[in-house]
Amino acid sequence: MNVQDKVIAIIAEQAVLEPSDVSPGSTLEDLGIDSLGLVESIFAIEEAFDIQVPFNANDPQAGDFDISSVAAIVAGIERLIAEKTA
Amino acid sequence: MRRVVITGAGTINALGHSVPETLEAMREGRCGIGELDFRDVDRLSIRIGGQVRGFEAEGRFNRQQMSLYDRFTQFTLTAAREAIEQSGIEFTGEEANRSGVVLGTAGGGVSTWDENYRSVYEEGKNRVHPFVVPKLMNNAAAAHVSMEWNLRGPSFTVSTACASSNHAMAQAFAMVRSGMAPAMITGGSESMLCFGGIKAWEGLRVMSKDACRPFSANRNGMVQGEGAGIFVFEEMEHAKARGAEILAEVAGFAMSSDAADIVMPSKQGAARAMAGALRDAGIDRAEVGYINAHGTGTAANDKTECAAVADVFGPHADRLMISSTKSMHGHLIGGTGAVELLACIMALRDGVIAPTIGYEEPDPECALDVVPNVAREAKVEVAMSNAFAFGGMNAVLVLRRV
């Protein structure tokens, strides 16, 4: 499973949807994921990829981690994985 | 219904080991938050907190007591001694049978859980000290207060997360006001600053890595503190009859539940608690000069709380002062309302309003007079103390100058 498929699986589970219902262009809002669901998703992503995601629930827009869409989240994770192995 | 007054106050927290030390720090706008110092802190991403410094249990308590007192109980007993000595009250005979202690704590003996889990899981030991259970139980602190001062009436512990001590004090107040008890010891304590305690909070991603800046546009979360605040709530005529010094009157309270979300606060729930406390006290909103805010420094709390204050107080919201002393002592979770009540007493008694320190940028969603950075002199007749907990459980107290 590549990074995108894995992330979609995690987000789909959080949103109680089928992975096929989640597309790279989906936003978390579209999928009905609230702030607590987002914190849980990030935890699951950190566990799955063994990375640290810089994310503060007080200001989800702050920091370098873009959560505006599934594609943006995937790109951010790929960058963190690359930084870890670099 | 009887009138209820506060005749003794005690505390230990990151700002000081007594009420005078704490109030001096609040007047000076001093920050008690710093680098955390405990085992395995290097494995945490959050490394700051309002830790109590220079507190040695050895010497204060004997060996037998030490084996029974978790740090949250040690804090409680230290603060209770200060409060009861100031009050001068003694519990004997029939009065002792009717007086009790109601305290708040969210976690109880967290470091006792932490140390003993470490010992059995990490170190692989198969035996723990025989007093682990009586040391960590949430009612341990209240129990030891009752034993130390012969309080034989109703005693128990209230646990409503960040509102625990306000719920506890509201309950104690109601018991004295109704005539059930001539006096009650009340307040709360917390001691979660250990590896497991902070690690659990890290998970929620609401903690700041650098400072607690309530109401400031650049705030980035809460900072945890530890300690205790303990008070003697006494029936007014009882206090007068024995010539006790009266610090303030407890005029009313209200509790409400958001019944909505386990962590996100609701404006309506907060507003109902504030309005309800004023109604209970029979006080007009225009008489309130100071609010000690819940003011955690999280985006969710601060915006919601300011909007609720605006709703409840209308145009008067722009005239009253509201500050969050968590910027100085951190968030004491179940003990926080008790330590913060000291700022209300200082406002009423000394005419000094504790500041919100760390305030750097105005936030249009928190456009109230938050007493930024520097304490202020002002005559205040009525002060309010807010506590809004996870679980959507709110408790607000109203105090009046005597």
Side-chain angles (χ1 to χ4, degrees):
Chain A
M1 214 189 269
N2 65 22
V3 172
Q4 178 165 308
D5 291 345
K6 229 164 155 179
V7 170
I8 286 180
I10 288 168
I11 289 174
E13 192 185 354
Q14 189 66 45
V16 202
L17 293 168
E18 289 303 319
S20 55
D21 297 330
V22 179
S23 71
S26 309
T27 68
L28 298 175
E29 205 180 356
D30 294 340
L31 301 169
I33 293 180
D34 65 5
S35 62
L36 208 55
L38 175 57
V39 169
E40 261 196 289
S41 303
I42 286 179
F43 166 72
I45 286 166
E46 287 183 331
E47 288 284 288
F49 298 102
D50 191 24
I51 52 171
Q52 289 283 342
V53 177
F55 174 78
N56 182 331
N58 289 291
D59 193 356
Q61 268 72 49
D64 299 332
F65 197 76
D66 184 356
I67 53 155
S68 58
S69 68
V70 172
I73 293 171
V74 170
I77 293 166
E78 282 172 340
R79 187 167 50 80
L80 289 169
I81 294 170
E83 282 169 10
K84 195 182 69 165
T85 49
Chain B
M1 289 210 289
R2 292 149 175 88
R3 290 175 74 178
V4 182
V5 294
I6 302 175
T7 56
T11 190
I12 178 164
N13 64 80
L15 295 177
H17 291 193
S18 67
V19 172
E21 283 177 34
T22 301
L23 296 187
E24 185 189 290
M26 286 182 179
R27 277 195 299 271
E28 293 176 358
R30 220 184 297 148
C31 186
I33 292 166
E35 294 279 320
L36 289 171
D37 176 21
F38 50 72
R39 190 173 165 185
D40 289 340
V41 71
D42 53 312
R43 282 181 57 210
L44 294 169
S45 65
I46 303 300
R47 296 184 190 172
I48 58 164
Q51 208 167 8
V52 170
R53 308 263 172 192
F55 176 78
E56 296 297 335
E58 292 82 2
R60 277 173 199 268
F61 306 112
N62 65 35
R63 200 174 142 270
Q64 175 73 10
Q65 290 171 324
M66 292 278 289
S67 67
L68 282 165
Y69 297 172
D70 180 272
R71 194 167 162 89
F72 94 105
T73 299
Q74 296 172 11
F75 289 158
T76 304
L77 288 166
T78 301
R81 182 162 304 283
E82 184 186 8
I84 294 168
E85 280 178 3
Q86 177 182 35
S87 166
I89 194 165
E90 285 180 15
F91 297 100
T92 54
E94 190 47 37
E95 280 199 348
N97 288 344
R98 292 171 53 227
S99 302
V101 46
V102 181
L103 300 181
T105 187
V110 177
S111 53
T112 298
W113 282 110
D114 203 48
E115 282 161 20
N116 286 281
Y117 276 148
R118 193 194 289 282
S119 138
V120 293
Y121 292 147
E122 184 179 311
E123 292 158 17
K125 289 192 180 168
N126 269 334
R127 189 183 297 121
V128 298
H129 191 277
F131 298 161
V132 170
V133 167
K135 192 174 176 181
L136 62 75
M137 61 193 193
N138 277 20
N139 63 329
H144 288 295
V145 170
S146 80
M147 288 182 258
E148 186 73 22
W149 285 281
N150 192 39
L151 292 145
R152 295 162 173 265
S155 294
F156 53 95
T157 293
V158 175
S159 191
T160 48
C162 311
S164 299
S165 49
N166 267 23
H167 274 105
M169 293 188 291
Q171 186 62 46
F173 166 62
M175 290 161 87
V176 177
R177 182 166 68 172
S178 73
M180 182 193 252
M184 292 293 290
I185 306 303
T186 188
S189 71
E190 202 71 75
S191 174
M192 280 192 195
L193 300 182
C194 58
F195 179 76
I198 296 293
K199 184 54 82 181
W201 277 97
E202 263 182 27
L204 261 178
R205 301 202 180 234
V206 294
M207 308 277 284
S208 170
K209 290 181 182 178
D210 47 19
C212 176
R213 302 184 200 86
F215 309 120
S216 185
N218 63 343
R219 66 192 175 277
N220 59 4
M222 54 175 276
V223 173
Q224 217 178 122
E226 65 173 353
I230 303 289
F231 301 91
V232 179
F233 281 15
E234 187 172 352
E235 195 261 313
M236 184 188 256
E237 296 310 316
H238 188 274
K240 283 183 176 168
R242 60 181 192 86
E245 188 185 1
I246 291 172
L247 304 180
E249 178 177 6
V250 189
F253 77 100
M255 313 178 190
S256 71
S257 303
D258 298 344
D261 191 277
I262 194 72
V263 291
M264 291 304 284
S266 125
K267 182 179 78 165
Q268 290 78 12
R272 283 194 294 120
M274 286 189 270
L278 290 174
R279 206 162 43 239
D280 183 57
I283 285 175
D284 186 85
R285 62 188 182 177
E287 291 178 62
V288 177
Y290 172 62
I291 299 176
N292 185 285
H294 191 55
T296 56
T298 62
N301 176 83
D302 294 1
K303 290 177 187 179
T304 309
E305 184 167 15
C306 290
V309 168
D311 277 8
V312 170
F313 289 91
H316 184 64
D318 295 328
R319 289 190 288 272
L320 55 77
M321 293 166 283
I322 174 168
S323 71
S324 169
T325 51
K326 287 186 178 75
S327 54
M328 295 181 271
H329 49 63
H331 190 337
L332 277 76
I333 316 293
T336 212
V339 170
E340 290 161 25
L341 202 69
L342 294 169
C344 291
I345 293 173
M346 180 168 78
L348 298 170
R349 243 176 102 72
D350 307 331
V352 177
I353 310 301
T356 305
I357 69 163
Y359 187 84
E360 292 170 352
E361 287 177 38
D363 176 355
E365 289 188 77
C366 302
L368 299 172
D369 178 1
V370 299
V371 197
N373 300 317
V374 181
R376 201 179 300 164
E377 287 189 16
K379 195 169 180 221
V380 170
E381 294 297 327
V382 175
M384 173 179 274
S385 180
N386 285 347
F388 310 129
F390 278 178
M393 295 174 179
N394 314 303
V396 172
L397 299 171
V398 174
L399 264 53
R400 183 165 31 210
R401 200 160 75 92
V402 175

